[in-house]
């Protein structure tokens, strides 16, 4: 019989895998901004996409301080950050 895991256990396992991967902790991704939403908290939620895929992303309010342009749908950007759960 196979083990049954909780959602939290799976999320923690995946998070640990991402944290141990150097490439995913310092990554630059080029893509087009879509579904860009400025939240009252100061965070910016958006999707980075290309012709074959999409990644959900967030820029936290504390990281916005140095941003000298407005993110908007259709903008081609190079985003740097880390992949996480």
């Amino acid at each position: 019989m196979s083990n049954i895991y909780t959602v939290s256990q799976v999320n923690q396992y995946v998070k640990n895998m991402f944290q141990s991967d150097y490439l995913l902790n310092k990554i630059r991704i080029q893509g087009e901004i879509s579904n860009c939403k400025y939240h009252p908290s100061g965070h910016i939620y958006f999707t980075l996409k290309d012709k074959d895929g999409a990644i959900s992303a967030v820029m936290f309010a504390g990281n916005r301080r140095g941003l000298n342009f407005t993110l908007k749908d259709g903008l081609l950007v190079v985003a740097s950050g880390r992949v996480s759960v």
Side-chain angles (χ1 to χ4, degrees):
M1 188 159 136
S2 65
N3 292 334
I4 298 173
Y5 299 96
T6 66
V7 171
S8 298
Q9 287 173 315
V10 173
N11 279 341
Q12 188 61 49
Y13 181 82
V14 173
K15 181 177 181 178
N16 289 341
M17 289 183 62
F18 284 160
Q19 287 176 338
S20 67
D21 188 317
Y22 178 77
L23 174 68
L24 297 178
N25 277 286
K26 281 190 163 182
I27 193 165
R28 292 169 40 128
I29 303 172
Q30 179 175 300
E32 179 183 324
I33 300 283
S34 68
N35 302 317
C36 188
K37 307 265 190 277
Y38 282 75
H39 193 271
S41 66
H43 304 330
I44 308 170
Y45 296 91
F46 56 97
T47 301
L48 276 177
K49 67 178 188 174
D50 62 21
K51 68 181 184 93
D52 295 317
I55 297 174
S56 296
V58 60
M59 178 181 284
F60 294 112
N63 296 358
R64 278 182 61 185
R65 290 188 194 108
L67 189 65
N68 58 4
F69 61 94
T70 302
L71 289 183
K72 58 185 176 184
D73 291 354
L75 191 64
L76 183 64
V77 299
V78 175
S80 61
R82 64 184 169 87
V83 177
S84 183
V85 172

